[in-house]
């Protein structure tokens, strides 16, 4: 089983979603989660609860800077990296499956999957 490093950048303006996001990442596979937030955001509660492995304050206010800062903070033993928005959810075992494909005989350089759009109550927005 591969460990996936997951960076979650946040400005902390949607705290009602962050816990759900972090729980979904934990259920997606074996992960090391780095939460990157603003100086005025208190990420300590997420670290204390075990939902994140590392919380760091942002170096700069842009999304790419937060993501790159988080990637640099990941342990060297991490096999694969990704990032997830602070209001997004991963499907259960999604990172397990992605790791299996990336470790497979064809050795792809990336994987991606279906995106299911949901509202703030978790209901499908685009129903087929």
């Amino acid at each position: 089983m591969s460990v996936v490093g997951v960076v979650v950048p946040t400005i902390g303006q949607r705290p009602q979603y962050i816990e759900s996001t972090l729980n979904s990442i934990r259920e997606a596979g074996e992960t090391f989660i780095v939460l990157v937030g603003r100086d005025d955001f208190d990420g300590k509660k997420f670290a204390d609860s075990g939902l994140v492995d590392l919380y760091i304050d942002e170096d700069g206010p842009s999304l790419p800077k937060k993501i790159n800062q988080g990637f640099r903070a990941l342990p060297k033993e991490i096999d694969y990296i990704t990032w997830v928005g602070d209001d997004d959810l991963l499907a259960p075992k999604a990172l397990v499956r992605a790791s299996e494909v990336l470790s497979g005989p064809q050795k792809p350089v990336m994987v991606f999957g279906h995106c299911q759009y949901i509202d703030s109550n978790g209901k499908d927005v685009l129903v087929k």
Side-chain angles (χ1 to χ4, degrees), residues 15-116:
Q16 69 273 25
Y17 298 121
I18 296 174
E19 187 171 342
S20 295
T21 296
L22 297 172
N23 278 316
S24 79
I25 296 168
R26 288 288 186 218
E27 293 172 6
E30 187 176 344
T31 56
F32 187 99
I33 303 172
V34 177
L35 182 63
V36 183
R38 298 190 327 192
D39 291 343
D40 60 349
F41 177 74
D42 182 16
K44 185 177 178 345
K45 68 179 181 178
F46 298 111
D48 290 347
S49 71
L51 284 176
V52 300
D53 299 293
L54 178 64
Y55 173 78
I56 53 179
D57 289 328
E58 68 183 1
D59 286 339
S62 77
L63 180 63
K65 284 184 182 180
K66 284 184 181 80
I67 294 167
N68 287 327
Q69 182 182 355
F71 285 161
R72 285 190 304 273
L74 288 167
K76 300 296 181 214
E77 309 80 51
I78 297 297
D79 298 308
Y80 305 109
I81 60 173
T82 190
W83 70 276
V84 176
D86 66 355
D87 64 344
D88 296 331
L89 303 173
L90 293 179
K93 305 291 183 197
L95 296 176
V96 171
R97 181 66 182 125
S99 296
E100 290 170 352
V101 171
L102 287 167
S103 300
Q106 294 183 341
K107 300 288 185 201
V109 295
M110 65 175 258
V111 295
F112 62 94
H114 171 75
C115 181
Q116 180 181 359

